[in-house]
């Protein structure tokens, strides 16, 4: 896969407010490639620089040094007037939707088509098609103030797709939505990627968003990319502290020390946490190992979820049986997956 | 004064006031919108940020606006003579009104534009819209309701300004009330003029409110 967006030592410095404070290096020497056709996530806490990073792609902000190459075009060398057509070829959706309150749903979706110089007939046909695609054809004549958050974001997505862009930028597109609506909008972004072949860059502070739809992810902190890789890899083996904290927010399958303490008071057997993922330790495999050793395994904590549409998680088991058999079972489990042995309660 | 004598005087004064107010509303509305947009756009961090232009416009508005109109009339004298050719008469007076109204409305326009969500402007930029298109299709339509109310407010202010038209021999309803009502102790004339002005203001305010309500899609 070729790269469609390429950051090359991209740096964006905002000057200090007059007279006081320090300049802000919002993006600090980022080199990164987004591949054509993927859903690429950028995750980080507020102020990590991810919003500025994504605005370098459609030149709402321009680099202080370095370069951003989009679809073969180097943006650092272009002036404001030459950047406008580049922007028109990239769709963007926003956390607060940013719809024009003075226009109807159809009028909002038609806006980028007017900018691009489509005729009225072409616009009407395209708007109808887009509203159908995002599932709000019945709201064409409504004003944004009468819509729910999820409907507004569908309008935002339809508007962003209007001119058939090759890239869609989603800046915290689901952060203002409730969990259920978030899932709907994420599913829509996934459809945009699959059915239309559009490269999607998702900015988020929610690891759940990355878990649900991203193929690859970059983790940002203080303007730098501290970790980048396949979403599944980043989840299963986070290398950086920030990444680990984010992973912990999305996967709550491992018992905390306090939870473990409570488990020990309820369960007298040996407690182990076994990893479950695509390669190692499917639950069927774990069950079989235990049965072969004549050990009873009871699930006392844990969960298995999907990361990048592949199974991932862990199960915490209470193993009960002959002491020697349990020991052998643990050794056998270690051969097939990662095992955290919490031992037995001392009593 | 009898109604037979008052009626033609009223008609003439009403015509003079209408002349002054309508020209001032047209010119002041247009220039005020332009200067107000200029203030908004050149403000640091905005679409056409330009520290120098912003500072000049801002200073001009701040200097002109607080001057009492009756003093402003005199101060503007030399410029009025240069542009109109004389410093008295209805044309000279209307020129001064246009000048003041432009700067008053400019500030109203600017204040209404800053309430527009910057995110909407950013979205238009992200779709490749030029600054001029953003003014035309985003800024003005999004702020239309408060702009209409601001323009209604300007109307009342302009009508107020026109009341001292007699000072430069421009005539008008205010002049009628002063000359025949105040100076000749003819309370009936003052009362009639006041009633007419109140009715005009009521009518325009009602019109402005209902137009603004229609423009407001929230």
């Amino acid at each position: 896969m070729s790269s469609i967006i390429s950051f090359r030592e991209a740096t964006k410095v905002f000057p200090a407010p007059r007279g006081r404070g320090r300049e802000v290096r919002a993006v600090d020497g980022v080199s990164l490639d987004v591949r054509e056709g993927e859903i690429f996530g950028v995750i980080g806490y507020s102020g990590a620089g991810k919003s500025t990073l994504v605005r370098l792609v459609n030149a709402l902000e321009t680099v202080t040094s370095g370069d951003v190459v989009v679809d073969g075009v180097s943006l650092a060398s272009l002036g404001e007037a030459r950047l406008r057509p580049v922007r028109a070829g990239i769709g963007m959706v926003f956390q607060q939707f940013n719809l024009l309150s003075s226009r109807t749903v159809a009028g909002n979706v038609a806006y980028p088509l007017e900018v691009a110089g489509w005729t009225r007939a072409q616009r009407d046909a395209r708007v109808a098609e887009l509203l159908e695609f995002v599932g709000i054809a019945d709201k064409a004549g409504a004003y944004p103030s009468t819509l729910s958050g999820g409907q507004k974001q569908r309008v935002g997505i339809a508007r962003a797709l209007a001119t058939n862009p090759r890239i869609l930028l989603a800046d915290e597109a689901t952060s203002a939505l409730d969990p259920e609506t978030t899932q709907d909008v994420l599913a829509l972004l996934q459809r945009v990627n699959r059915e239309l072949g559009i490269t999607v860059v998702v900015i988020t502070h929610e690891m759940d968003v990355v878990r649900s739809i991203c193929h690859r992810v970059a983790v940002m902190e203080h303007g730098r990319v501290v970790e980048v890789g396949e979403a599944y890899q980043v989840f299963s083996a986070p290398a950086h502290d920030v990444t680990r904290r984010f992973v912990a927010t999305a996967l709550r399958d491992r018992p905390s020390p306090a939870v473990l303490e409570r488990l020990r008071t309820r369960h007298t057997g040996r407690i182990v946490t076994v990893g479950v993922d695509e390669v190692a330790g499917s639950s069927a495999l774990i069950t079989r190992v235990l049965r072969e050793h004549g050990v009873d395994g009871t699930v006392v904590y844990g969960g298995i979820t999907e990361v990048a549409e592949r199974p991932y998680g862990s199960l915490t088991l209470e193993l009960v049986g002959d002491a020697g058999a349990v020991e052998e079972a643990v050794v056998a489990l270690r051969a097939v997956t990662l095992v955290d042995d919490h031992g037995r309660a001392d009593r | 004064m009898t109604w037979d004598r008052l009626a033609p005087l009223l008609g003439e004064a009403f015509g003079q006031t209408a002349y002054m107010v309508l020209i001032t509303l047209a010119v002041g509305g247009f220039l005020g919108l332009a200067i107000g947009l200029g203030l908004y756009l050149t403000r640091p961090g905005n679409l056409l940020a330009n520290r120098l232009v912003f500072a000049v416009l801002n200073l001009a508005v701040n200097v002109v606006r607080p001057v009492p109109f009756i003093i402003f009339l005199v101060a503007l004298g030399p410029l009025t003579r240069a542009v109109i050719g004389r410093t008295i008469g209805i044309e000279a007076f209307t020129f001064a009104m246009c000048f003041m109204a432009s700067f008053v409305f400019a500030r109203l326009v600017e204040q209404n534009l800053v309430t527009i969500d910057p995110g909407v402007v950013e979205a238009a930029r992200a779709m490749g819209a030029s600054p001029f298109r953003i003014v035309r299709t985003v800024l003005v339509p999004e702020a239309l309701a408060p702009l209409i109310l601001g323009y209604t407010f300007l109307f009342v202010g302009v009508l107020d300004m026109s009341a001292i038209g007699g000072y430069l021999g421009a005539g008008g309803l205010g002049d009628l009330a002063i000359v025949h009502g105040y100076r000749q102790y003819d309370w009936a004339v003052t009362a009639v003029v006041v009633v007419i002005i109140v009715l005009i203001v009521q009518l325009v305010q009602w019109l402005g409110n209902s137009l603004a309500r229609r423009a407001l899609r929230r």
Side-chain angles (χ1 to χ4, degrees):
Chain A
M1 266 192 285
S2 60
S3 90
I4 188 165
I5 303 167
S6 186
F7 295 94
R8 298 183 183 161
E9 287 295 315
T11 297
K12 176 66 182 182
V13 180
F14 291 107
R18 262 206 294 186
R20 59 205 168 79
R22 292 198 323 205
E23 59 173 32
V24 178
R25 297 180 81 80
V27 175
D28 195 357
V30 168
S31 292
L32 191 69
D33 282 278
V34 176
R35 298 171 190 159
E36 178 149 24
E38 71 178 345
I39 302 183
F40 188 88
V42 179
I43 191 164
Y45 294 108
S46 315
K50 50 197 196 303
S51 274
T52 307
L53 185 80
V54 77
R55 278 164 176 74
L56 293 175
V57 176
N58 60 354
L60 288 176
E61 302 286 357
T62 49
V63 287
T64 311
S65 67
D67 198 2
V68 180
V69 180
V70 176
D71 223 352
V73 180
S74 156
L75 301 186
S77 57
L78 294 184
E80 174 68 20
R82 299 270 304 279
L83 286 172
R84 267 176 232 141
V86 175
R87 287 189 192 123
I90 300 172
M92 188 166 188
V93 291
F94 303 86
Q95 178 172 6
Q96 295 302 333
F97 325 121
N98 295 351
L99 303 177
L100 292 167
S101 62
S102 55
R103 286 180 175 228
T104 61
V105 165
N108 269 282
V109 177
Y111 189 86
L113 300 172
E114 290 168 22
V115 175
W118 292 38
T119 67
R120 163 143 237 150
Q122 288 173 320
R123 290 203 302 259
D124 289 350
R126 179 68 180 145
V127 167
E129 184 185 4
L130 286 159
L131 293 181
E132 195 66 48
F133 180 80
V134 302
I136 42 165
D138 56 323
K139 295 286 183 188
Y143 281 89
S145 59
T146 64
L147 302 182
S148 69
Q151 289 170 330
K152 283 181 191 167
Q153 199 56 293
R154 284 168 190 276
V155 179
I157 292 171
R159 179 175 73 172
L161 296 175
T163 53
N164 293 307
R166 295 184 60 202
I167 300 170
L168 180 68
L169 308 174
D171 183 13
E172 299 278 9
T174 59
S175 302
L177 305 174
D178 62 59
E180 196 177 331
T181 316
T182 293
Q183 290 310 315
D184 292 346
V185 168
L186 290 179
L188 179 56
L189 289 176
Q190 213 161 26
R191 267 180 70 211
V192 167
N193 174 254
R194 282 192 190 143
E195 293 176 24
L196 309 176
I198 293 172
T199 306
V200 182
V201 179
V202 176
I203 301 295
T204 186
H205 66 272
E206 295 167 323
M207 203 60 181
D208 252 333
V209 171
V210 175
R211 187 180 66 73
S212 314
I213 65 168
C214 292
H215 301 125
R216 293 199 308 141
V217 61
V219 183
M220 282 191 83
E221 189 186 34
H222 305 314
R224 295 166 180 275
V225 169
V226 295
E227 188 163 357
V228 57
E230 300 287 328
Y232 196 80
Q233 285 302 315
V234 170
F235 262 90
S236 49
H240 196 277
D241 258 357
V242 181
T243 319
R244 261 178 235 125
R245 269 182 279 154
F246 273 118
V247 169
T249 62
L251 303 174
R252 296 185 192 81
D253 55 315
R254 287 178 184 271
S256 66
V259 169
L260 210 52
E261 202 60 38
R262 284 192 291 278
L263 288 176
R264 285 222 173 87
T265 64
R266 288 197 294 266
H267 304 282
T268 52
R270 182 154 166 185
I271 292 174
V272 294
T273 300
V274 293
V276 176
D277 63 43
E278 191 178 47
V279 195
S282 71
S283 17
L285 193 57
I286 290 162
T287 314
R288 203 172 66 222
V289 168
L290 295 178
R291 200 185 307 125
E292 280 167 3
H293 290 82
V295 170
D296 278 338
T298 311
V299 176
V300 293
Y301 199 83
I304 303 166
T305 179
E306 274 198 327
V307 174
E309 307 194 319
R310 291 144 75 180
Y312 186 81
S314 70
L315 296 173
T316 298
L317 308 168
E318 179 196 24
L319 305 181
V320 179
D322 173 67
V326 168
E327 185 56 42
E328 277 170 35
V330 171
V331 172
L333 284 173
R334 280 191 200 282
V336 294
T337 185
L338 279 172
V339 177
D340 255 351
D341 189 355
H342 307 299
R344 321 178 38 134
D346 297 323
R347 54 179 80 216
Chain B
M1 198 184 303
T2 62
W3 181 251
D4 289 348
R5 281 190 54 211
L6 182 60
L9 286 177
L10 258 181
E12 190 191 12
F14 185 86
Q16 287 160 339
T17 294
Y19 174 92
M20 293 186 277
V21 169
L22 291 179
I23 288 182
T24 303
L25 279 177
V27 175
F30 179 78
L31 289 181
L33 188 62
I35 299 170
L37 280 166
L39 274 169
Y40 173 80
L41 292 169
T42 60
R43 185 181 271 266
N46 276 7
L47 279 177
L48 302 174
N50 184 319
R51 210 175 283 273
L52 181 71
V53 176
F54 177 75
V56 168
L57 289 177
N58 200 36
L59 184 72
V61 172
N62 281 344
V63 165
V64 171
R65 226 166 50 110
V67 180
F69 188 55
I70 196 157
I71 296 166
F72 180 76
L73 276 179
V74 180
L76 198 67
L79 187 63
T80 310
R81 185 188 298 282
V83 177
I84 305 294
R86 47 197 295 220
T87 54
I88 57 163
I90 193 166
E91 289 86 4
F93 186 75
T94 308
F95 175 75
M97 281 176 69
C98 289
F99 212 97
M100 179 58 98
S102 299
F103 283 94
V104 169
F105 193 47
R107 191 59 92 196
L108 285 173
V109 169
E110 187 215 9
Q111 281 168 355
N112 287 326
L113 292 178
V114 294
T115 63
I116 296 176
D117 176 7
V120 181
V121 177
E122 187 184 41
R125 278 187 71 210
M127 290 181 273
S130 65
F132 179 66
R133 179 185 286 274
I134 291 175
V135 166
R136 204 163 41 82
T137 59
V138 178
L139 296 180
V140 173
E142 288 293 297
L144 192 59
L147 284 178
I148 290 171
L149 291 177
Y151 198 62
T152 310
F153 184 84
L154 180 72
F155 175 91
V156 179
V158 167
L159 193 62
D160 188 17
M161 271 192 252
S162 78
I164 58 167
Y167 202 73
L168 290 191
L173 288 169
D175 188 42
L176 182 72
I178 289 167
V179 172
H180 294 277
Y182 177 64
R183 296 209 184 118
Q184 298 176 19
Y185 306 106
D186 193 339
W187 274 98
V189 176
T190 309
V192 168
V193 170
V194 166
V195 167
I196 291 175
I197 288 177
V198 167
L199 285 178
I200 294 173
V201 169
Q202 287 295 325
L203 181 73
V204 170
Q205 190 66 51
W206 172 81
L207 194 68
N209 286 351
S210 52
L211 284 177
R213 201 174 305 116
R214 284 187 58 186
L216 198 65
R217 305 288 191 179
R218 272 173 261 179

